[in-house]
Amino acid sequence: MSDKRKGASKVGQLTPVKRQRGPAPTSVAVVNTSVAHGPLIQTVQRSSNLQAPIIQLSGHTGEVYACRFDNTGEIIASGAQDRTILLWNTYGANENFGVIKGHKGAVVDLAFSRDSRNLYSASTDATLGVWDVDSGVRIRKHVGHEDIVNSIDRVRRGPELLLSGSDDGSIALWDPRTKQTVEYMETDFPILAVAFGEGGNHVFSAGIDEDIKVWDLRQRGVVYSLPGHDDAVTSLSVSEDMQYLVSHSMDNTVRNWDIRPFAPESRLIKVYGGAPASDVEKNLLRASFSPDGSKVIAGSADRTVVIWDTLTAKILYKLPGHTGSVNDARFSPLESNVILTGSTDRTLMLGELGKG
């Protein structure tokens, strides 16, 4: 949104190492402390191949707005207010092995290409970037929006296409191999979130007008809407099976929608509470599904990350650790109990969920 600040950054570049595979190790953890008896130390069975149960990734000099695993789960990308994209190893020593610079404004959203060789970015400088992950070189700069680009998504199937939404009220469809837009649709309000539907023929958009719009690209128009939120919608994410859509809103709710072609007239499935937005920061808090669709994860302005059971809407975890608003939260595509979060406190947290 328009209140995001733009800054500068100087970050060193480190050398990557290969992931160390093997059985989940054990870890010694302090589980309780007592003045009389001192800390109680016990061995905890680890549940992932991460180097430690909780890892803080520091390197950005501004608020972290977006974080993503690549499609292998081996690499992490983060975008921030400092105009940079940092690349990290998920496993081993979690090195920050790459620094990508080129945007003239904050990096607010990210998406990896299907083969994970390229990285797509959206920025407050009104452009989209296409970057080579190995070299960090910008392959293409997409220009067309007239204001902040808040959201980007990559089609799941068919030819590689990008979708973007901007404060200028437009939704754009891009071919990352060419500079020009494939399609361009105007709306009356700033667009804060976009997502591709099944096959790329349907796209979802949302913003400050509260209702989620469903577009048919073949008709170049809205085919139906998803009313229900009472404030701006800040994120949209489609499940891996392409049947459900999760939305995060400034009305302090996360909602799950049925987007199947022949769904009931009322498409709202569940409302999840416990991840409040902020009346002050107005950051674009994001939510997403776990790879198997059994859980929903969301960032929260109360400095926690919240995970719900998709079907029951029960809060399974409400995890502290950050000292600022949690703007983005994702599950790993490789290990379903590994999560990644990015925060206003300028850090990322990479961690594993406990067993049970």
Side-chain angles (χ1 to χ4, degrees), residues 30-150:
V30 179
V31 297
N32 190 20
T33 57
S34 166
V35 174
H37 304 290
L40 173 64
I41 306 295
Q42 72 177 34
T43 300
V44 178
Q45 181 64 37
R46 294 289 308 286
S47 61
S48 79
N49 286 307
L50 294 178
Q51 188 178 56
I54 303 174
I55 302 160
Q56 184 182 70
L57 304 178
S58 300
H60 282 294
T61 59
E63 299 181 17
V64 178
Y65 293 131
C67 56
R68 294 289 186 280
F69 290 101
D70 78 340
N71 299 313
T72 70
E74 303 270 354
I75 293 174
I76 290 167
S78 56
Q81 185 185 44
D82 60 17
R83 307 181 185 182
T84 69
I85 301 166
L86 300 187
L87 300 175
W88 315 78
N89 284 316
T90 305
Y91 298 97
N94 309 110
E95 292 90 350
N96 168 208
F97 69 87
V99 181
I100 296 176
K101 298 181 180 181
H103 277 299
K104 296 179 180 179
V107 179
V108 294
D109 203 6
L110 297 168
F112 277 95
S113 64
R114 210 171 299 157
D115 61 10
S116 297
R117 294 180 180 178
N118 294 334
L119 181 64
Y120 309 124
S121 59
S123 173
T124 61
D125 65 11
T127 71
L128 283 71
V130 181
W131 313 86
D132 181 270
V133 172
D134 288 336
S135 66
V137 172
R138 181 160 55 192
I139 301 170
R140 190 151 286 107
K141 179 179 180 180
H142 290 300
V143 178
H145 287 297
E146 297 177 354
D147 208 333
I148 292 170
V149 183
N150 293 302

Side-chain angles (χ1 to χ4, degrees), residues 19-324:
R19 171 188 171 188
Q20 300 174 352
R21 296 183 182 273
T26 57
S27 177
V28 176
V30 179
V31 297
N32 190 20
T33 57
S34 166
V35 174
H37 304 290
L40 173 64
I41 306 295
Q42 72 177 34
T43 300
V44 178
Q45 181 64 37
R46 294 289 308 286
S47 61
S48 79
N49 286 307
L50 294 178
Q51 188 178 56
I54 303 174
I55 302 160
Q56 184 182 70
L57 304 178
S58 300
H60 282 294
T61 59
E63 299 181 17
V64 178
Y65 293 131
C67 56
R68 294 289 186 280
F69 290 101
D70 78 340
N71 299 313
T72 70
E74 303 270 354
I75 293 174
I76 290 167
S78 56
Q81 185 185 44
D82 60 17
R83 307 181 185 182
T84 69
I85 301 166
L86 300 187
L87 300 175
W88 315 78
N89 284 316
T90 305
Y91 298 97
N94 309 110
E95 292 90 350
N96 168 208
F97 69 87
V99 181
I100 296 176
K101 298 181 180 181
H103 277 299
K104 296 179 180 179
V107 179
V108 294
D109 203 6
L110 297 168
F112 277 95
S113 64
R114 210 171 299 157
D115 61 10
S116 297
R117 294 180 180 178
N118 294 334
L119 181 64
Y120 309 124
S121 59
S123 173
T124 61
D125 65 11
T127 71
L128 283 71
V130 181
W131 313 86
D132 181 270
V133 172
D134 288 336
S135 66
V137 172
R138 181 160 55 192
I139 301 170
R140 190 151 286 107
K141 179 179 180 180
H142 290 300
V143 178
H145 287 297
E146 297 177 354
D147 208 333
I148 292 170
V149 183
N150 293 302
S151 180
I152 189 172
D153 194 24
R154 184 256 306 157
V155 72
R156 305 272 181 91
R157 300 167 189 164
E160 191 97 337
L161 294 172
L162 302 178
L163 183 69
S164 60
S166 169
D167 268 3
D168 65 11
S170 68
I171 302 164
L173 190 67
W174 310 83
D175 183 337
R177 299 167 298 180
T178 63
K179 286 188 176 182
Q180 303 304 316
T181 54
V182 176
E183 189 63 81
Y184 198 73
M185 296 172 289
E186 297 278 0
T187 74
D188 296 327
F189 300 98
I191 300 295
L192 305 182
V194 292
F196 271 112
E198 177 71 31
N201 291 322
H202 287 88
V203 299
F204 304 90
S205 70
I208 64 171
D209 62 337
E210 304 172 6
D211 289 355
I212 300 167
K213 304 292 193 306
V214 186
W215 300 74
D216 189 319
L217 293 179
R218 295 163 296 189
Q219 301 177 23
R220 297 191 75 255
V222 175
V223 289
Y224 66 90
S225 298
L226 299 172
H229 281 297
D230 297 322
D231 207 333
V233 177
T234 57
S235 87
L236 298 172
S237 184
V238 175
S239 61
E240 285 296 320
D241 62 10
M242 309 297 287
Q243 297 185 11
Y244 303 98
L245 176 76
V246 66
S247 57
H248 203 329
S249 170
M250 290 182 182
D251 67 7
N252 302 317
T253 69
V254 173
R255 294 173 184 244
N256 185 8
W257 309 87
D258 190 335
I259 56 172
R260 293 174 295 180
F262 303 105
E265 184 176 349
S266 176
R267 291 176 176 266
L268 179 62
I269 298 173
K270 288 289 181 182
V271 178
Y272 309 103
S278 171
D279 292 331
V280 178
E281 288 183 308
K282 299 292 185 184
N283 283 358
L284 303 185
L285 305 185
R286 294 192 169 100
S288 56
F289 288 101
S290 62
D292 65 1
S294 66
K295 301 178 185 68
V296 171
I297 188 170
S300 174
D302 66 5
R303 306 178 181 183
T304 68
V305 56
V306 186
I307 300 173
W308 298 268
D309 181 282
T310 302
L311 296 178
T312 66
K314 176 185 177 182
I315 294 179
L316 302 176
Y317 303 90
K318 189 171 175 65
L319 305 172
H322 282 293
T323 58

